[in-house]
Amino acid sequence: LTYDKLLQICDGIGISVTELLSLENHGPVTLTRRSVTRLDNTVRQVTSNYDYNYLAADLVGKRMVPIMTTVKARTLEEFGPLYHHPGEEFVLVLKGEIEVHTEHYAPRKLATGESIYIDSTMGHGYIATS
């Protein structure tokens, strides 16, 4: 399945991607909670364009889905069609440089420490430039 299809399935049944991919049985959601992320408790998904590590995977009913991603595609041609899905994305570059492509704006390069916030219903894709 593509990432877009996973998001559509999750949206349709009212759960997050981490809830869908988690193998653990979680208890009821509480208002005071925390999650410590380690390499052994992330949910990993590999696609042709990205390696995703879903953080705080042990929490259900999150208002956001934190993901640490390695961008693999190096050209827009290699990336393919831009992704569209419900929600919003906040991207913070931890290392290197990426180029953000969206359907309504000119491409924008982001370096280490820079960020962007986008509406995910707008076509978008990230390309590694370093």
Side-chain angles (χ1 to χ4, degrees):
L1 288 174
T2 66
Y3 182 66
D4 287 343
K5 293 296 180 196
L6 283 175
L7 287 174
Q8 289 173 2
I9 291 168
C10 290
D11 187 51
I13 59 177
I15 64 172
S16 71
V17 172
T18 53
E19 290 173 83
L20 178 70
L21 299 176
S22 178
L23 299 177
E24 297 180 23
N25 183 12
H26 300 286
V29 176
T30 61
L31 296 178
T32 57
R33 58 201 179 138
R34 74 173 196 173
S35 175
V36 176
T37 299
R38 297 178 315 275
L39 291 178
D40 65 346
N41 72 347
T42 63
V43 175
R44 186 164 185 236
Q45 180 186 13
V46 177
T47 71
S48 59
N49 292 320
Y50 307 118
D51 284 343
Y52 297 103
N53 283 294
Y54 290 87
L55 311 177
D58 55 332
L59 295 179
V60 297
K62 293 185 289 289
R63 293 185 186 152
M64 61 174 256
V65 180
I67 307 169
M68 187 164 50
T69 304
T70 300
V71 177
K72 298 190 302 191
R74 298 218 170 252
T75 67
L76 200 53
E77 293 75 25
E78 178 184 350
F79 184 88
L82 299 177
Y83 294 151
H84 298 79
H85 57 82
E88 299 171 316
E89 294 183 21
F90 173 77
V91 175
L92 170 65
V93 178
L94 298 176
K95 180 179 172 185
E97 184 175 272
I98 65 170
E99 189 170 78
V100 179
H101 291 263
T102 60
E103 69 183 333
H104 300 299
Y105 297 91
R108 179 67 187 250
K109 285 191 177 182
L110 298 176
T112 301
E114 296 180 330
S115 65
I116 191 167
Y117 191 100
I118 66 167
D119 178 341
S120 300
T121 62
M122 167 178 59
H124 61 283
Y126 310 111
I127 307 299
T129 59
S130 67

